[in-house]
């Protein structure tokens, strides 16, 4: 068995990838057992992989090896602290899990101040750009005009969107109302850009899977045609039979709400 | 004190570890005896202590004690938080174990869950211990053949569902939805060769070259989108700081904070 796996690993990987791709895309036709099965396989693999990764990349080198390998015994207390999370399963002592959650929330809350300084301060500095620089002016009046217009537009968008998020006071004044309304309009442009980029990102994944089927899997099918030509008719018959059975299946009777 | 915390080896090490666990268990027992009226203040105090560490480390000028112990504190935070992984696994095992025990509809899917879990986890551990064994190619098959494919295919499914979402979101109801639709269309077309081809009749060096879809898309992403994202980020930053302060000082209200203990 181990010899077979070692020798045929690339072929098995290729066929498994194709099988998984078809299994997941089968949901586009309708809900089916084939999809559900592979969904659970995915869940199991993802959980098992996280378990393996957490142990081998974090807990083993950072905790076990330091405690047992280097003899730093005090790390045993990490297990005590870690066990506190599991008190959530006790009705009587569930509050102990809140203690450790509270500690972590406190640590995160404290870290926010540093985060604000390290992440947002440089961004604030980068945002407050001068209207023009010596390098831009040296490029000529047209380049300077375009640059200044760009910076001004950036400021207008930035401040109008920020004004939209002012909830500390009622937006009553004409100026703030107009600015907030403009901010809302610019937000729509931003959301449109985010949506467009997200759609294209997902499309890239779809193209990737399609590319795999056409350029990796299909040539392998062609290469293995000598045996695949016997399997293909069986697969086609099975698929047709499956579709016929699915269509013949009685629709699930739903209980109608009582009428008066 | 230095001798106490010095590294130990052999039987002495295991005795110290066992002793630590016993002391830890004792502390937990002591916590179990805490009167109900003291529970909330204890949680608030521990939360405050947690927040105080990073606040002091940040506020006190460099080369302070808190900065020196920071690697250990961060390491301990990571290690202790890793113990939560088993909560997720425990819950999944409970749900799927119950499904198998009670032979619920689709119980065989739960068997597949357990098989996949143990197969990849054991293949991973064996691969690390014996890299020359069959576990290495088996792990490759499970990771590249199954997990990677299932993951990318599942995420690519969103490409289909997002179309129906887009139909609902982009139904032209007002000027704002029109604006959003047009922006999304420009971005989508600007990112693919088709978009460039559509406006390729505009000479690249002419005054109107900014109307070419790829340039327009780039402009939107770089200027209006960037400004909007920055404004949102600043709002989020200020909001998270306010929220951090509320949590640190246990002023926050909600299910976690108001529940009877």
């Amino acid at each position: 068995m181990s010899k077979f796996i070692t020798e045929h690993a690339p072929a098995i990987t290729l066929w498994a990838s194709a099988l998984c791709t078809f299994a997941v895309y089968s949901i586009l036709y309708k809900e089916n057992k084939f999809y559900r099965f592979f969904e659970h396989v995915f869940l199991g693999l993802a959980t098992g992989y996280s378990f393996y990764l957490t142990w081998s990349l974090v807990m083993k080198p950072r905790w076990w090896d330091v405690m047992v390998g280097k003899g730093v015994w005090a790390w045993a207390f990490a297990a005590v602290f870690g066990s506190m999370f599991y008190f959530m399963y006790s009705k009587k002592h569930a509050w102990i899990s809140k203690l450790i959650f509270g500690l972590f929330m406190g640590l995160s809350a404290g870290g926010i101040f540093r985060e604000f300084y390290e992440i947002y301060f440089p961004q604030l500095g980068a945002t407050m750009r001068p209207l023009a620089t010596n390098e831009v002016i040296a490029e000529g009046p047209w380049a300077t005009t375009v640059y200044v217009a760009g910076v001004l537009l950036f400021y207008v968008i930035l401040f109008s969107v920020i004004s939209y998020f002012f909830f500390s006071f009622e937006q009553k004044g004409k100026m703030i109302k107009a600015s907030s309304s403009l901010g809302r309009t610019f937000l729509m442009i931003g959301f449109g850009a985010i949506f467009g980029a997200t759609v294209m990102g997902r499309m890239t994944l779809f193209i990737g899977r399609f590319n795999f089927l056409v350029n990796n899997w299909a040539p392998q099918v062609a290469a293995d045609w000598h045996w695949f030509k016997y399997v293909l008719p069986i697969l086609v018959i099975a698929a047709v039979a499956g579709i016929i059975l699915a269509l013949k299946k009685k629709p699930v009777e739903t209980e109608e709400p009582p009428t008066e | 004190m230095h001798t106490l915390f010095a590294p130990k080896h052999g039987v002495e090490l295991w005795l110290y570890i066992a002793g630590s666990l016993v002391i830890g268990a004792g502390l937990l027992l002591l916590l179990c005896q805490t009167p109900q009226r003291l529970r909330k203040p204890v949680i608030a105090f521990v939360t405050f202590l947690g927040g105080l560490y990073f606040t002091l480390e940040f506020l006190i000028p460099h080369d302070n004690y808190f900065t020196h112990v920071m690697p250990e504190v961060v390491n301990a935070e990571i290690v202790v938080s890793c113990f939560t992984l088993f909560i997720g696994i425990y819950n999944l095992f409970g749900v799927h174990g119950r499904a198998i025990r009670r032979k619920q509809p689709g119980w065989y899917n739960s068997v597949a869950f357990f098989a996949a879990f143990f197969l990849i986890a054991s293949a991973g551990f064996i691969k690390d211990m014996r890299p020359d064994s069959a576990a290495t190619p088996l792990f490759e098959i499970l990771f590249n053949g199954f997990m990677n494919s299932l993951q990318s295919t599942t995420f690519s499914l969103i490409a289909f569902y997002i179309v129906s979402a887009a139909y609902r979101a982009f139904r032209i109801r007002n000027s704002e939805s029109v604006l959003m639709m047009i922006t999304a269309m420009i971005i989508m077309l600007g990112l693919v060769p088709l978009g460039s081809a559509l406006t390729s009749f505009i000479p690249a060096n002419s005054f109107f070259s900014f109307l070419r879809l790829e340039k327009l898309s780039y402009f939107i992403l770089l200027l209006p989108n960037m400004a909007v994202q920055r404004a949102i980020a600043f709002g989020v930053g200020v909001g998270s700081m306010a929220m951090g302060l509320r949590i640190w000082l246990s002023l926050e209200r909600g299910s976690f904070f108001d529940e009877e203990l």
Side-chain angles (χ1 to χ4, degrees):
Chain A
M1 184 68 178
S2 64
K3 195 183 169 193
F4 177 82
I5 291 172
T6 313
E7 281 176 4
H8 297 93
I12 298 170
T13 306
L14 193 76
W15 282 88
S17 295
L19 183 72
C20 292
T21 308
F22 288 127
V24 174
Y25 282 146
S26 70
I27 190 72
L28 292 171
Y29 169 62
K30 66 185 277 190
E31 171 71 46
N32 62 81
K33 289 177 180 175
F34 188 44
Y35 169 78
R36 282 283 160 226
F37 182 80
F38 275 88
E39 186 190 45
H40 282 75
V41 169
F42 181 33
L43 185 66
L45 287 173
T47 318
Y49 184 66
S50 308
F51 175 62
Y52 158 70
L53 219 60
T54 308
W55 176 260
S56 57
L57 288 188
V58 186
M59 293 189 80
K60 189 175 179 289
R62 285 172 185 255
W63 179 60
W64 187 257
D65 287 351
V66 179
M67 183 173 70
V68 178
K70 292 180 182 171
V72 187
W73 59 271
W75 275 102
F77 284 107
V80 178
F81 282 112
S83 71
M84 287 167 82
F85 288 113
Y86 295 86
F87 278 86
M88 67 164 65
Y89 294 110
S90 157
K91 275 184 184 169
K92 200 176 170 189
H93 304 296
W95 80 277
I96 293 175
S97 71
K98 288 198 170 189
L99 200 65
I100 191 78
F101 277 119
L103 178 71
F104 272 80
M105 283 164 83
L107 285 167
S108 309
I112 284 173
F113 301 112
R114 168 180 280 277
E115 195 179 291
F116 192 81
Y117 172 75
E118 284 177 353
I119 296 175
Y120 295 108
F121 271 37
Q123 277 194 31
L124 274 168
T127 305
M128 298 301 144
R129 284 183 294 172
L131 284 178
T133 57
N134 287 336
E135 289 83 22
V136 173
I137 293 166
E139 282 180 33
W142 174 244
T144 311
T145 313
V146 170
Y147 186 86
V148 170
V151 175
L152 280 175
L153 183 64
F154 191 90
Y155 280 137
V156 168
I157 297 172
L158 182 79
F159 290 117
S160 59
V161 173
I162 286 177
S163 73
Y164 177 76
F165 288 114
F166 278 156
F167 298 125
S168 307
F169 56 87
E170 205 179 338
Q171 297 185 346
K172 270 182 175 175
K174 267 187 183 175
M175 184 74 180
I176 191 79
K177 263 189 177 175
S179 169
S180 169
S181 168
L182 195 66
R184 195 181 148 95
T185 307
F186 286 129
L187 268 173
M188 287 301 144
I189 295 176
F191 291 150
I194 294 168
F195 186 85
T198 309
V199 171
M200 292 318 288
R202 302 303 177 199
M203 277 294 171
T204 310
L205 281 173
F206 172 66
I207 292 164
R209 294 321 297 160
F210 205 75
N211 186 38
F212 161 75
L213 288 176
V214 173
N215 293 324
N216 295 73
W217 179 67
Q220 188 64 39
V221 173
D224 293 340
W225 184 247
H226 57 279
W227 65 265
F228 191 71
K229 65 186 171 190
Y230 299 110
V231 178
L232 188 66
I234 300 167
L235 286 176
V236 171
I237 292 165
V240 171
I243 292 167
I244 292 169
L245 277 173
L247 291 174
K248 269 190 171 179
K249 205 175 169 186
K250 282 180 186 175
V252 180
E253 284 176 19
T254 51
E255 205 173 287
E256 282 184 22
T259 48
E260 286 180 23
Chain B
M1 198 68 160
H2 184 74
T3 323
L4 179 70
F5 285 100
K8 311 284 180 223
H9 296 282
V11 180
E12 196 186 10
L13 168 70
W14 289 105
L15 282 173
Y16 267 81
I17 291 174
S20 310
L21 293 176
V22 169
I23 291 169
L27 284 172
L28 290 177
L29 272 175
L30 210 67
L31 278 174
C32 290
Q33 305 306 317
T34 312
Q36 205 164 4
R37 65 188 165 82
L38 284 178
R39 289 174 183 180
K40 271 193 179 178
V42 169
I43 292 175
F45 178 68
V46 168
T47 309
F48 180 75
L49 271 187
L52 190 67
Y53 170 77
F54 277 118
T55 310
L56 287 179
E57 193 279 323
F58 174 64
L59 292 177
I60 295 173
H62 287 294
D63 269 345
N64 60 66
Y65 172 74
F66 299 106
T67 308
H68 283 297
V69 296
M70 198 162 158
E72 280 79 24
V73 172
V74 172
N75 201 21
E77 200 184 343
I78 293 168
V79 167
V80 174
S81 65
C82 277
F83 279 91
T84 54
L85 175 77
F86 301 104
I87 294 177
I89 293 174
Y90 176 79
N91 284 337
L92 281 168
F93 273 35
V95 168
H96 290 284
R98 207 177 307 127
I100 295 170
R101 269 201 316 278
R102 294 180 185 172
K103 287 271 169 69
Q104 285 172 350
W107 61 272
Y108 44 85
N109 291 329
S110 299
V111 175
F113 162 80
F114 280 113
F117 176 90
F118 287 113
L119 213 57
I120 197 164
S122 51
F125 289 125
I126 296 169
K127 168 182 81 78
D128 286 353
M129 285 187 284
R130 292 179 60 198
D132 298 333
S133 67
T136 306
L138 178 65
F139 186 81
E140 292 295 318
I141 292 168
L142 291 169
F143 185 76
N144 292 325
F146 285 90
M147 210 179 100
N148 262 353
S149 312
L150 285 166
Q151 194 169 11
S152 53
T153 315
T154 306
F155 280 113
S156 76
L157 265 185
I158 300 169
F160 293 95
Y161 291 116
I162 220 164
V163 175
S164 71
Y167 170 73
R168 270 170 280 173
F170 289 163
R171 261 184 301 180
I172 299 167
R173 277 171 294 197
N174 52 36
S175 57
E176 278 162 359
S177 61
V178 173
L179 200 64
M180 191 170 149
M181 184 192 74
I182 291 170
T183 314
M185 288 299 285
I186 292 169
I187 297 295
M188 284 190 274
L189 285 170
L191 290 174
V192 290
L194 176 70
S196 307
L198 280 173
T199 49
S200 60
F201 64 89
I202 303 171
N205 295 323
S206 73
F207 176 78
F208 295 103
S209 66
F210 71 91
L211 288 173
R212 286 171 73 117
L213 275 172
E214 71 274 17
K215 285 196 174 183
L216 210 55
S217 162
Y218 183 68
F219 167 77
I220 290 170
L221 283 174
L222 207 68
L223 213 147
N225 178 52
M226 178 76 85
V228 167
Q229 302 248 24
R230 281 267 166 91
I232 294 172
F234 292 153
V236 169
V238 173
S240 63
M241 204 149 101
M243 182 56 93
L245 204 63
R246 287 177 66 83
I247 289 172
W248 180 35
L249 301 175
S250 293
L251 299 170
E252 184 60 18
R253 290 287 159 261
S255 60
F256 182 84
F257 303 91
D258 287 341
E259 223 170 55
E260 275 300 311
L261 300 173

